[in-house]
Amino acid sequence: MADFHKADVEKLMDGVLAWPAVQEMMKSPKDIDRFDKYVEILQERVEWDEPILLPLTPALFIVAKDGERVVKCRCGHEFGDYRVNWKISALINVRDTEESLAEVYKGREMPDPAWVQLREYVCPGCGGQLEVEVVPRGCPPDFDFLPDLDTFYSEWLGRPLPDTAEYKDLTPDAIGKWATPEYTKPLPELDGYAKDFYGFCKEGELRFQRCVDCKEWRHVPREMCAECGSFDWIWERSSGRGTVFSWTVADRALHPDFVDDTPYAPTVVEMEEGVRLLSQVVDCPPEDLEMGMPVEVVFDEVTHEVTLPKFRRRSGGEARRRPVSIETLELPPTIRYEKSDGIAVVTIDRPDAMNALTKEMLAALDSAFAHFNDDDDSLVAILTAVGDRAFCTGMDLKEAIPLLTSGDELGYEDHTKRQFSEVDKPIIAAVNGHCIAGGMEMLAGTDLRVAAQGATFGLGEVRWGLVPAGGSHIRLPRQIPWALAMELLLTGESIDAQRAYEIGLVNRVVPADEVMSTALELASSICRNGPLAVRTSKEIAVRALGLEDGFVLEKSLAAKVFASNDAKEGPRAFAEKRKPDFTGQ
């Protein structure tokens, strides 16, 4: 057994030991003497007296304290029993947006925030960063190391600890003891369709049943539509907005669990979809309630199992009439068209696929905006999407690439036209989440843009051997400076909402929950103007750009790219999550 001086062990720990001595030490088997010197040095470097039993990281130690074994930071902060994952007691900084991840990663090294998140675990005592991990979304904190201390001390060191502890991960027990929210009032029975309804609420979504055949919404779930007798229905997401329809003030509670809340006001809210919901306006005393008061849904997690939909007052001026669905339009469930007070709202509703477009959806968008353009009752349109992950990520590659590489026009047989190029009325884009590829191309065809603070914008087609053929080469250099348009087109990299605002790509950047209300305010301000003047102003501005020849050139040259081997290799590599092997052919 080699005998190393304590000073040499300390130099090794600090990384200043001469390399020959390091090699000599590495050749020698680890022994009790070196371990004892290592722990002795660690003990001298901390300002507390509890004996270190085992180091976990350069900053964390398992120590003996009052007959227990706890994890302790070098600053003295304690994380509790060593058999409980210390990470659940740390401060956790989560990076799960492109903006936050860009502070760590550069360019193509950045992981997709839709799939992974980076977590930084910080000591609450000293603020030091203790560990970093990149894991799939929803993955629990990794329990890196749970040592069998009793076996280590008794069988390897030969000096058993004075007390013993069961060798068991106690993290599940600790989590199970976390207090649930105290809620003594009656709760809904989570069975049948109610289980689905409250399941959506738990995920932060208010959804109602909607008949596929007659398009009627209903709040009380049932198998058959009361309007047309159809058994074909879907759970469709509500806008979450409505107005106060009626209320009653309870000065004396009939149920004993509500006595402490009196007076309270059970309130009926009429949603924009037409259904009525009995709930509560949480930030409004009964005396301030008004008929027609605009409200929006908020979710109250009253227990870990039940989240209740409640409402709060909504800013934005007068209450708007509920939007009317256009029944004469034959649209798929993934595209919705509604109008109210001169404003048409077109919504992409395919959040599970990041609002990627199919050929059917592309045709439906054309139909919806053609209807808007011909409708004398609508002056402004708002294009938006369901969910906060993505506004639109472009065409669904599983469907689009086989069509494009086989020469399919995807609905644009007239090469002088692109999306919205025949719409003479203003279009406002309300953007949450990723606006990339075809989503970005749609954005370029709109007139005003409101973006959430976490939104991102980009044209990543070149990264996969493709080109954006929806008008971006023609529209973008006319909307933002040439060099910035080329940066987006040639690098395939995305920019965040703030950068998009700085270069003039968007008009407003607001918190995510204010995107739609801001878009509605812009639309309302346009609606106050002369309809003929508004429509003519846009027509003159767009026609003066002379985009048609550029669209023809783009279509012609893009066809060569889509017919290439690279156009097949890029999407194949994307699907297989690997780097493309381009040949330039």
Side-chain angles (χ1 to χ4, degrees):
M1 181 177 70
D3 184 19
F4 294 101
H5 294 292
K6 178 181 173 182
D8 290 335
V9 175
E10 189 165 15
K11 289 179 181 178
L12 178 68
M13 294 167 60
D14 293 335
V16 295
L17 185 64
W19 179 240
V22 172
Q23 290 179 306
E24 184 66 25
M25 195 174 292
M26 291 172 63
K27 294 177 184 178
S28 303
K30 297 178 181 178
D31 55 45
I32 298 174
D33 178 67
R34 283 170 60 188
F35 175 77
D36 288 341
K37 289 175 179 174
Y38 176 41
V39 172
E40 183 181 349
I41 295 167
L42 293 174
Q43 196 78 56
E44 292 171 352
R45 294 185 175 189
V46 297
E47 296 182 0
W48 30 267
D49 298 329
E50 289 83 10
I52 295 174
L53 301 178
L54 195 70
L56 290 177
T57 74
L60 292 177
F61 313 93
I62 301 175
V63 304
K65 181 180 179 181
D66 301 329
E68 297 181 349
R69 304 166 187 176
V70 299
V71 174
K72 199 165 186 174
C73 178
R74 59 188 168 197
C75 73
H77 180 82
E78 294 182 10
F79 288 86
D81 194 305
Y82 82 104
R83 294 167 296 176
V84 176
N85 190 351
W86 61 268
K87 293 179 182 176
I88 67 175
S89 300
L91 300 177
I92 307 176
N93 179 43
V94 178
R95 300 177 184 268
D96 57 3
T97 65
E98 286 196 9
E99 181 180 12
S100 60
L101 288 171
E103 297 176 3
V104 179
Y105 298 95
K106 299 298 180 184
R108 297 187 182 183
E109 297 177 355
M110 183 187 299
D112 186 349
W115 296 98
V116 301
Q117 57 184 202
L118 183 149
R119 301 173 187 159
E120 298 167 325
Y121 295 94
V122 177
C123 175
C126 62
Q129 188 178 88
L130 301 175
E131 191 167 321
V132 177
E133 63 183 14
V134 180
V135 295
R137 282 176 173 266
C139 180
D142 184 29
F143 197 169
D144 300 304
F145 181 41
L146 176 60
D148 185 351
L149 278 180
D150 289 298
T151 299
F152 174 68
Y153 267 81
S154 62
E155 296 186 8
W156 197 75
L157 295 180
R159 49 174 188 265
L161 293 169
D163 58 320
T164 60
E166 181 182 11
Y167 180 54
K168 177 185 178 182
D169 182 0
L170 299 183
T171 308
D173 296 336
I175 294 174
K177 294 176 182 177
W178 286 353
T180 58
E182 293 185 5
Y183 194 80
T184 60
K185 300 176 177 62
L187 291 170
E189 295 289 336
L190 299 184
D191 55 12
Y193 293 128
K195 182 177 181 180
D196 295 332
F197 176 80
Y198 288 103
F200 291 125
C201 291
K202 185 174 179 62
E203 296 172 2
E205 296 183 358
L206 184 61
R207 288 183 180 257
F208 301 117
Q209 279 185 329
R210 193 178 191 191
C211 178
V212 171
D213 293 328
C214 73
K215 311 301 183 185
E216 278 297 309
W217 298 76
R218 56 181 182 262
H219 168 48
V220 180
R222 56 177 66 90
E223 283 284 352
M224 186 183 76
C225 176
E227 295 294 323
C228 69
S230 171
F231 288 88
D232 194 4
W233 57 270
I234 58 174
W235 284 105
E236 189 153 339
R237 186 166 179 170
S238 163
S239 68
R241 298 187 299 271
T243 56
V244 172
F245 179 78
S246 66
W247 73 94
T248 183
V249 179
D251 292 313
R252 180 172 60 87
L254 297 178
H255 193 288
D257 291 334
F258 287 90
V259 170
D260 294 338
D261 294 340
T262 56
Y264 59 90
T267 305
V268 176
V269 173
E270 182 172 57
M271 305 302 298
E272 290 185 344
E273 294 78 22
V275 300
R276 292 173 183 169
L277 197 61
L278 177 62
S279 184
Q280 177 187 6
V281 181
V282 295
D283 62 348
C284 184
E287 59 269 20
D288 290 345
L289 287 170
E290 298 177 0
M291 296 287 290
M293 175 189 291
V295 294
E296 61 187 358
V297 71
V298 291
F299 295 98
D300 185 6
E301 184 183 10
V302 295
T303 72
H304 287 327
E305 291 75 32
V306 177
T307 296
L308 298 177
K310 297 183 180 180
F311 292 88
R312 66 184 175 195
R313 283 179 287 194
R314 172 165 53 95
S315 60
E318 299 178 358
R320 300 175 61 237
R321 298 192 304 270
R322 90 176 164 93
V324 179
S325 295
I326 308 303
E327 307 301 344
T328 56
L329 277 175
E330 295 184 0
L331 302 176
T334 48
I335 300 294
R336 302 203 307 269
Y337 185 102
E338 300 167 310
K339 68 175 186 178
S340 175
D341 299 338
I343 302 172
V345 179
V346 181
T347 305
I348 304 170
D349 190 355
R350 200 185 176 209
D352 294 341
M354 302 286 281
N355 290 317
L357 301 173
T358 63
K359 185 175 181 179
E360 178 190 40
M361 294 169 66
L362 197 62
L365 284 170
D366 286 344
S367 297
F369 279 94
H371 181 94
F372 160 68
N373 202 51
D374 294 337
D375 181 11
D376 292 335
D377 293 331
S378 297
L379 182 58
V380 184
I382 296 175
L383 176 63
T384 189
V386 171
D388 55 7
R389 294 175 59 203
F391 169 73
C392 178
T393 54
M395 292 296 295
D396 189 325
L397 293 184
K398 295 189 294 295
E399 176 184 291
I401 295 305
L403 293 175
L404 289 171
T405 54
S406 64
D408 193 293
E409 299 289 349
L410 286 178
Y412 295 111
E413 296 180 3
D414 185 344
H415 292 182
T416 67
K417 306 299 181 186
R418 292 295 185 273
Q419 268 185 308
F420 315 141
S421 62
E422 293 186 293
V423 180
D424 296 329
K425 301 177 185 178
I427 303 173
I428 301 172
V431 179
N432 254 331
H434 298 303
C435 176
I436 59 177
M440 177 75 163
E441 300 212 272
M442 283 198 298
L443 184 89
T446 64
D447 305 296
L448 299 172
R449 297 103 187 231
V450 179
Q453 291 170 340
T456 58
F457 303 84
L459 294 162
E461 283 86 345
V462 292
R463 297 171 63 182
W464 308 106
L466 307 171
V467 292
S472 292
H473 301 91
I474 313 345
R475 284 169 163 164
L476 272 185
R478 289 166 168 80
Q479 297 178 9
I480 60 177
W482 170 268
L484 298 173
M486 289 298 102
E487 182 178 345
L488 289 169
L489 287 165
L490 302 181
T491 68
E493 302 292 345
S494 296
I495 60 175
D496 61 22
Q498 184 59 36
R499 181 60 172 157
Y501 174 75
E502 291 169 355
I503 66 176
L505 186 64
V506 301
N507 300 80
R508 306 277 195 279
V509 177
V510 298
D513 59 357
E514 297 179 15
V515 169
M516 198 60 190
S517 61
T518 304
L520 287 167
E521 289 173 6
L522 280 172
S524 296
S525 67
I526 293 173
C527 286
R528 289 193 290 269
N529 301 324
L532 181 60
V534 167
R535 187 165 186 165
T536 303
S537 293
K538 174 175 176 178
E539 183 179 3
I540 294 171
V542 174
R543 290 180 62 182
L545 293 174
L547 306 177
E548 290 81 0
D549 291 344
F551 289 154
V552 173
L553 178 64
E554 181 184 62
K555 181 65 71 174
S556 175
L557 297 180
K560 298 179 181 179
V561 175
F562 286 114
S564 69
N565 291 331
D566 282 355
K568 298 179 177 65
E569 163 62 12
R572 187 185 304 117
F574 176 83
E576 296 173 0
K577 301 185 185 303
R578 60 175 174 82
K579 184 179 180 181
D581 184 16
F582 292 132
T583 63
Q585 298 179 346

